[in-house]
């Protein structure tokens, strides 16, 4: 009888562990535990975007960089510790990622109102959504219930984040590894409708493209001249230019129009038009703005579900920059 009792206890505990790890994020996760959670994040985002619309781009990009490395676990928010550099220090993230202070402000208020309840991973997912709404009018519901990871490694972004010089085949492979279709990859690339870039991320297209061409021949000549004026060979590493010079503070489908006019800033942008596999998608998105916006919202929700921690996995950090 004692053996049977032990077996039942073991099975019960195993089932509880399984159920806790099988929890999936859902819309309204904090409805009873912290009803104001999403409103508090939105307030912090709107306050920051009113001062600097570019923060919206930073938050969307930060969410992307978080989810593509280790899943959506807020590992990108962790500060380095003595002798151990975090993702935040990687060249793909520093100094270009922006918006950490928005996440921290929301987290401080949430910890006062609902201690140890709302994860940093969820705050970041909410903030990216709210940024898209603030500058693009793109609205979607965010499933929540993610938990925060405890690991952030400096080298991992190199393996998981596509480069500004990636071609369409490389981009497709990078996104496919995370479960995205070719059309979803092209759709999410439209986030480059807002934000800025350091000159160093594309200067090779202006001055050292390849052995045959000093300048990337796919660049519109006038656009190239404008970029060279803003990014001369001796320009400061801190020089930045708008990703979209037409509607720089509006998340919209003008990004695709720019590509059709050969005004994509990164090689990884312009390749979407020059590649047969994606050129038609670029044209459709340029022509059908509302349809692109709807696809963008769906793709953002999908991105927010990459390898999430739930249940008893991970933790709810007290501060987003450090593990408990």
């Amino acid at each position: 009888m004692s053996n049977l009792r032990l077996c039942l206890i073991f099975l019960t505990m195993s089932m509880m562990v399984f159920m806790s790890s099988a929890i999936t994020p859902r819309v309204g996760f904090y409805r009873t535990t912290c009803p104001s959670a999403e409103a508090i994040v939105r307030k912090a985002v709107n306050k920051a975007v009113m001062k600097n619309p570019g923060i919206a781009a930073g938050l969307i990009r930060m969410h992307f960089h978080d989810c593509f490395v280790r899943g959506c676990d807020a590992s990108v928010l962790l500060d380095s510790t003595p002798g151990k550099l975090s993702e935040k220090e990687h060249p793909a993230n520093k100094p270009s990622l922006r918006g950490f202070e928005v996440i921290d402000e929301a987290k401080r208020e949430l910890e006062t109102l609902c201690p140890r309840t709302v994860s940093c991973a969820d705050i970041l997912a909410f903030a990216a959504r709210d940024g898209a709404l603030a500058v693009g009018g793109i609205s979607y519901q965010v499933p929540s219930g993610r938990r925060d990871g405890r690991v952030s490694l400096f080298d991992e972004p190199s393996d998981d984040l596509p480069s500004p010089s990636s071609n369409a085949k490389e981009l497709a492979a990078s996104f496919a590894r995370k479960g995205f279709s070719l059309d979803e990859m092209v759709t999410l690339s439209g986030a480059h409708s807002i934000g800025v870039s350091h000159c160093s991320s594309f200067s090779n297209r202006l001055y050292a493209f390849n052995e045959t061409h000093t300048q990337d021949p796919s660049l519109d000549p006038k656009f190239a001249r404008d970029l060279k004026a803003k990014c001369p060979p001796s320009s400061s590493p801190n020089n930045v230019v708008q990703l979209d010079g037409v509607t720089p503070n509006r998340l919209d489908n003008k990004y695709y129009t720019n590509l059709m006019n050969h005004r994509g800033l990164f090689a990884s942008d312009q390749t979407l038009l020059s590649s047969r596999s994606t050129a038609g998608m670029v044209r459709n998105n340029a022509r059908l703005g509302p349809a692109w916006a709807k696809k963008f919202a769906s793709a953002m929700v999908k991105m927010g579900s990459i390898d999430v921690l739930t249940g008893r996995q991970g933790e709810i950090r007290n501060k987003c920059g450090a593990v408990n």
Side-chain angles (χ1 to χ4, degrees), residues 161-216:
L161 295 177
S163 160
S165 61
S166 297
N167 60 37
K169 185 177 180 180
E170 293 166 337
L171 288 171
S174 177
F175 277 75
R177 285 194 293 271
K178 304 301 178 182
F180 289 97
S181 69
L182 198 61
D183 187 61
E184 288 169 330
M185 179 272 285
V186 175
T187 296
L188 286 171
S189 295
H192 284 179
S193 167
I194 52 174
V196 298
S197 169
H198 288 84
C199 295
S200 57
S201 295
F202 59 86
S203 59
N204 66 305
R205 299 185 71 200
L206 303 176
Y207 303 110
F209 185 61
N210 59 29
E211 294 180 358
T212 306
H213 302 282
T214 301
Q215 179 178 299
D216 185 344

Side-chain angles (χ1 to χ4, degrees), residues 13 48 72 84 157 164 178 241 253:
M13 292 179 65
C72 307
K84 190 175 182 181
K178 304 301 178 182
V241 299
N253 68 326

Side-chain angles (χ1 to χ4, degrees), residues 17-300:
V17 170
F18 171 78
M19 289 176 67
S20 70
S21 62
I23 294 171
T24 57
R26 66 179 187 273
V27 173
F29 182 84
Y30 299 109
R31 188 169 290 130
T32 57
T33 56
C34 192
S36 301
E38 295 191 44
I40 287 171
V41 176
R42 180 163 294 178
K43 182 181 69 172
V45 171
N46 288 343
K47 175 183 170 184
V49 170
M50 282 185 67
K51 293 179 180 177
N52 177 8
I55 289 296
L59 293 169
I60 293 170
R61 183 165 177 257
M62 192 189 299
H63 185 41
F64 165 57
H65 281 216
D66 180 43
C67 292
F68 264 54
V69 180
R70 288 192 164 265
C72 307
D73 67 346
S75 57
V76 74
L77 302 178
L78 286 173
D79 295 325
S80 298
T81 55
K84 190 175 182 181
L85 294 177
S86 68
E87 293 170 34
K88 192 184 281 191
E89 303 298 323
H90 190 277
N93 296 326
K94 186 178 181 179
S96 58
L97 277 194
R98 297 182 291 165
F100 292 104
E101 70 283 0
V102 180
I103 305 301
D104 290 340
E105 179 179 334
K107 179 62 171 175
R108 283 193 297 270
E109 186 168 348
L110 286 166
E111 282 301 303
T112 299
L113 186 66
C114 316
R116 299 177 297 280
T117 301
V118 183
S119 70
C120 299
D122 278 341
I123 293 172
L124 181 50
F126 294 147
R129 182 269 311 275
D130 297 336
L133 178 63
V135 298
I138 298 175
S139 178
Y140 55 92
Q141 291 188 310
V142 174
S144 49
R146 303 167 189 79
R147 287 171 66 86
D148 300 322
R150 297 188 179 98
V151 177
S152 183
L153 302 176
F154 173 82
D155 293 331
E156 289 191 332
S158 296
D159 299 325
D160 292 310
L161 295 177
S163 160
S165 61
S166 297
N167 60 37
K169 185 177 180 180
E170 293 166 337
L171 288 171
S174 177
F175 277 75
R177 285 194 293 271
K178 304 301 178 182
F180 289 97
S181 69
L182 198 61
D183 187 61
E184 288 169 330
M185 179 272 285
V186 175
T187 296
L188 286 171
S189 295
H192 284 179
S193 167
I194 52 174
V196 298
S197 169
H198 288 84
C199 295
S200 57
S201 295
F202 59 86
S203 59
N204 66 305
R205 299 185 71 200
L206 303 176
Y207 303 110
F209 185 61
N210 59 29
E211 294 180 358
T212 306
H213 302 282
T214 301
Q215 179 178 299
D216 185 344
S218 71
L219 276 170
D220 171 70
K222 184 180 183 304
F223 183 53
R225 287 195 299 272
D226 292 343
L227 290 178
K228 285 180 176 179
K230 296 172 183 175
C231 300
S234 58
S235 63
S236 164
N238 296 322
N239 277 20
V240 296
V241 299
Q242 301 283 357
L243 291 176
D244 174 5
V246 180
T247 54
N249 294 322
R250 183 73 182 170
L251 178 60
D252 57 24
N253 68 326
K254 296 297 185 293
Y255 164 81
Y256 302 99
T257 304
N258 290 341
L259 298 187
M260 292 178 66
N261 292 330
H262 298 276
R263 287 174 169 252
L265 191 62
F266 301 141
S268 60
D269 293 323
Q270 201 58 54
T271 187
L272 300 180
L273 181 68
S274 58
S275 171
R276 288 184 180 181
S277 63
T278 53
M281 300 171 189
V282 169
R283 295 188 186 98
N284 283 339
N285 289 337
R287 189 166 48 90
L288 304 169
W292 166 77
K294 185 175 181 180
K295 291 194 301 177
F296 183 82
S298 296
M300 287 291 288

